[in-house]
Amino acid sequence: MKLPIALSNRHVHLSQADIETLFGAGHELTHFKPLSQPGQYACEEKVDLVGPKGTIKGVRVLGPARPSTQVEISLADGFALGVKAPIKESGDIAGTPGVKLVGPAGEVELQEGVIVASRHIHMSLEDAKNFGVEDKQIVKVRTFGPRAVVFENVLVRANANFALEMHVDVEEGNAAAVRNGDMVELIAE
């Protein structure tokens, strides 16, 4: 059972209140390009991340606005910022560290919200049925090629609004020498 994989670079999801603090009152995110998941898009807007040890400039904002601001970085980004970001499922930000976000109109000092996103597969409910898996199930995924690996601890996220795609961060993708759109094999446990 094969599916496409995509590499996710560092990015920021913002609440509407933080959008307005960073970019100005009444600001609406500017659509740059659509992402693979329906309704999700990369924005023209970028922010700087400022940690206790360093700064990463020009980090892309993804839309639409979310209930809570969340920063997704790689483990190496965490070292550069001086932030020990845990590996967690997107949206699970309780107890995570914060950073300062700097935009053209202001700054936001996050108390929490910085994570390294756990590897996961987005799929529709129909895809889940076809693959014989359920939402929240943990599976393995095999890649192919000269640096083939088996990713363990892959979270299935099944939802009627999702499109079939596995997401890993750039470090994981580069280690396995995969590129966006490469096909990988799901191994149900």
Side-chain angles (χ1 to χ4, degrees):
M1 299 292 292
K2 298 220 172 99
L3 66 150
I5 193 169
L7 284 62
S8 182
N9 203 352
R10 68 180 75 99
H11 60 272
V12 179
H13 299 282
L14 295 172
S15 67
Q16 186 58 42
D18 289 347
I19 290 168
E20 295 192 30
T21 300
L22 294 164
F23 298 101
H27 187 86
E28 297 287 333
L29 293 174
T30 311
H31 193 283
F32 172 63
K33 69 176 184 178
L35 299 175
S36 62
Q37 295 308 306
Q40 305 291 308
Y41 54 93
C43 303
E44 295 282 356
E45 289 81 1
K46 296 179 182 179
V47 296
D48 296 342
L49 308 180
V50 181
K53 189 174 156 191
T55 299
I56 299 176
K57 294 190 165 291
V59 177
R60 178 88 54 196
V61 174
L62 301 187
R66 295 247 179 127
S68 300
T69 293
Q70 175 177 292
V71 177
E72 295 184 33
I73 61 172
S74 69
L75 292 171
D77 290 339
F79 295 130
L81 292 167
V83 174
K84 191 167 174 61
I87 299 169
K88 295 188 99 170
E89 181 181 352
S90 180
D92 180 10
I93 60 170
T96 60
V99 289
K100 185 193 312 184
L101 306 179
V102 180
E107 300 178 352
V108 172
E109 190 74 49
L110 289 180
Q111 298 308 306
E112 63 181 10
V114 181
I115 66 167
V116 174
S118 60
R119 55 183 79 117
H120 58 277
I121 300 170
H122 290 277
M123 62 174 62
S124 69
L125 299 176
E126 187 175 328
D127 289 328
K129 186 178 175 187
N130 291 339
F131 277 91
V133 296
E134 298 176 353
D135 186 46
K136 304 292 187 195
Q137 185 173 339
I138 303 297
V139 298
K140 297 178 183 179
V141 173
R142 177 182 292 121
T143 70
F144 302 95
R147 295 182 85 181
V149 301
V150 174
F151 287 113
E152 298 198 19
N153 304 318
V154 181
L155 176 68
V156 171
R157 297 181 62 195
N159 182 293
N161 299 318
F162 286 163
L164 184 62
E165 189 171 65
M166 179 180 179
H167 287 172
V168 295
D169 71 22
V170 289
E171 291 175 334
E172 294 177 299
N174 287 339
V178 293
R179 294 189 315 240
N180 289 334
D182 283 357
M183 298 304 283
V184 296
E185 181 183 10
L186 186 147
I187 306 165
E189 301 211 306

